[in-house]
Amino acid sequence: MSVLVTGGAGYIGSHTVAELLTRGEEVVVLDSLQTGHRGAVLVEYYYQGDVRDTDLLQRVFTDHEIEAVIHFAASSLVGESVTDPLKYYDNNVVAVQRLLAAMNRHGVKQIVFSSTAATYGEPLRTPIEEEDPTEPTSPYGETKLAIEKMLAWCDRAYGIKSVSLRYFNAAGAHPDGWIGEDHQPETHLIPIILQVALGQREHVAIFGDDYPTEDGTCIRDYIHVMDLAQAHYLALQRLRSSGESGIYNLGNGTGFSVKQVIEKCREVTGHPIPSVVSPRRPGDPAVLIASSQKAKRELGWTPRYADLGTIIESAWNWHRRHPLGFGGGTGGSR
Ligand code: NAD
Ligand code: UFG
């Protein structure tokens, strides 16, 4: 029996595949490479194609005895989703509808889904708990929330059990330094700061310093990508053992401002990392911090790399070794 990982050539997907292989799982990857990298595919069974391609889904589910699906494949840029919402409804919602239909046809009853803190919108309290109101402020968050609801209805109707994992800010890289974050274009804070340290950018723009926080910059809860990977394995185990659906936050419960993250990157890299205060980025909530008590309690999740310095060190290790990301041709090699 195999686990089908959609988006397994992407950032979080490839790290989760690495974790699954360590745990002795058989893995099949399906990825269109629209934002992923061939060099990040770590398995023999790999299909390059789109989750929305029903013929391809038919082939994958026929070629392999799939026990469960972990679905990472998505479009995930908050800003882009505001200017091109239909792309998000198509690549996120339509894709999951077709995936669930294929699972249902083939009797596959378990799915772990990449949800997001963006389902909450502007939070009413900190830290955020799973039962708190979900009022997304972007089409990206809306599509992820719509998928969570689709999953709940498919549980009732077809008995497909799901775990939706609402990640906060993923960061860091594999401790061995052979896979890491490489988005083109890069929009995430930590890789952008490290590109300044590498001399690839002149400065990092701080998107707003007039937020209602201590230093005026946005606060986020950064979580190591390998801790996310561990949570996916545990979610799979929960589906296998209890067969119960659930929704879980994944974060460390500690917030760091943009200025604090830049300062920590200066410490780790020894580089001055110039910064320039710029206008706010539309759609950014001031503070996003998770309560992950439910994941700890019900999944047995224990983050191993909670310290921000450790997260940044692992990212720095990857970026220094692969300054051109997977484009340098060395990513993915052990
Ligand atoms: P990523 O872009 O690195 O990975 C996504 C992968 O999916 C890519 O390899 C891409 O080629 C593939 N893909 C996209 N659409 C596809 C399709 N229709 N068919 C086949 N493959 C397709 O993104 P990531 O940062 O690894 O994020 C993974 C998941 O986690 C996404 O669902 C994202 O919304 C979610 N998420 C990410 C973060 C974060 O901080 N990075 C936070 C919350 C949630
Ligand atoms: N930021 C800057 N300068 C930059 C880039 C980012 O100041 O050049 C700021 C942002 O304004 C934000 C913080 O750094 O306050 C983090 O921004 P990221 O772009 O790294 O991450 P986001 O918080 O926007 O979004 C990420 C994922 C989403 C997910 C969200 C959940 O990309 O998919 O975390 O918290 F929904």
Side-chain angles (χ1 to χ4, degrees):
M1 299 287 270
S2 303
V3 178
L4 172 62
V5 178
T6 73
Y11 171 45
I12 306 169
S14 59
H15 288 77
T16 302
V17 169
E19 175 77 15
L20 293 173
L21 296 177
T22 305
R23 307 271 191 167
E25 300 283 343
E26 276 186 32
V27 178
V28 176
V29 165
L30 167 59
D31 198 300
S32 61
L33 296 191
Q34 57 187 268
T35 54
H37 307 277
R38 183 67 183 88
V41 177
L42 308 173
V43 293
E44 181 185 345
Y45 297 113
Y46 165 60
Y47 294 79
Q48 185 176 339
D50 200 295
V51 177
R52 291 164 294 183
D53 180 343
T54 44
D55 292 340
L56 176 60
L57 288 177
Q58 175 69 18
R59 189 148 65 85
V60 173
F61 282 100
T62 308
D63 286 356
H64 303 273
E65 212 179 324
I66 303 292
E67 176 203 8
V69 176
I70 305 184
H71 180 61
F72 292 99
S75 297
S76 57
L77 299 179
V78 173
E80 182 189 57
S81 79
V82 177
T83 54
D84 193 1
L86 291 179
K87 173 177 175 181
Y88 281 69
Y89 278 88
D90 190 18
N91 202 37
N92 296 356
V93 182
V94 172
V96 174
Q97 184 271 327
R98 293 194 184 151
L99 180 63
L100 287 168
M103 287 174 62
N104 198 34
R105 273 197 303 279
H106 292 269
V108 180
K109 298 288 186 193
Q110 297 167 351
I111 180 167
V112 181
F113 167 62
S114 295
S115 191
T116 168
T119 52
Y120 293 109
E122 194 73 56
L124 296 181
R125 62 169 177 171
T126 292
I128 304 170
E129 294 185 6
E130 288 81 353
E131 300 72 30
D132 287 357
T134 43
E135 298 283 350
T137 50
S138 70
Y140 167 64
E142 285 287 3
T143 60
K144 293 285 183 172
L145 190 59
I147 294 166
E148 287 187 3
K149 290 180 181 173
M150 191 181 347
L151 289 168
W153 288 111
C154 288
D155 183 350
R156 279 177 66 164
Y158 315 120
I160 294 177
K161 301 293 172 185
S162 64
V163 170
S164 293
L165 299 175
R166 291 179 178 163
Y167 327 146
F168 283 61
N169 287 59
H174 196 283
D176 292 348
W178 45 277
I179 47 174
E181 185 165 12
D182 177 10
H183 290 120
Q184 304 287 345
E186 191 52 76
T187 62
H188 293 121
L189 180 65
I190 290 176
I192 284 178
I193 299 172
L194 296 179
Q195 285 171 356
V196 178
L198 281 172
Q200 295 172 341
R201 293 173 188 256
E202 282 184 10
H203 63 263
V204 53
I206 296 174
F207 294 150
D209 68 349
D210 56 351
Y211 284 94
T213 61
E214 205 163 303
D215 66 17
T217 66
C218 286
I219 291 177
R220 293 289 180 273
D221 183 344
Y222 294 88
I223 171 159
H224 197 284
V225 66
M226 291 311 295
D227 286 332
L228 286 181
Q230 181 210 152
H232 287 79
Y233 175 73
L234 294 171
L236 198 58
Q237 292 296 77
R238 177 168 170 89
L239 286 172
R240 285 169 171 158
S241 60
S242 81
E244 276 179 39
S245 296
I247 294 176
Y248 299 91
N249 286 342
L250 292 174
N252 283 310
T254 312
F256 293 93
S257 72
V258 172
K259 283 186 177 169
Q260 286 175 320
V261 174
I262 295 172
E263 195 48 47
K264 189 57 84 176
C265 289
R266 289 182 178 131
E267 277 171 36
V268 169
T269 62
H271 190 280
I273 309 182
S275 64
V276 173
V277 175
S278 308
R280 288 183 176 198
R281 190 172 63 177
D284 273 343
V287 181
L288 284 176
I289 299 173
S291 162
S292 301
Q293 293 310 317
K294 189 178 171 195
K296 289 179 177 164
R297 203 172 53 241
E298 295 185 10
L299 302 179
W301 182 60
T302 37
R304 284 171 293 183
Y305 309 99
D307 171 63
L308 182 66
T310 308
I311 294 174
I312 292 171
E313 273 165 24
S314 75
W316 180 230
N317 184 34
W318 154 256
H319 285 284
R320 250 186 329 180
R321 284 168 66 165
H322 309 279
L324 301 176
F326 291 96
T330 50
S333 57
R334 282 170 191 256

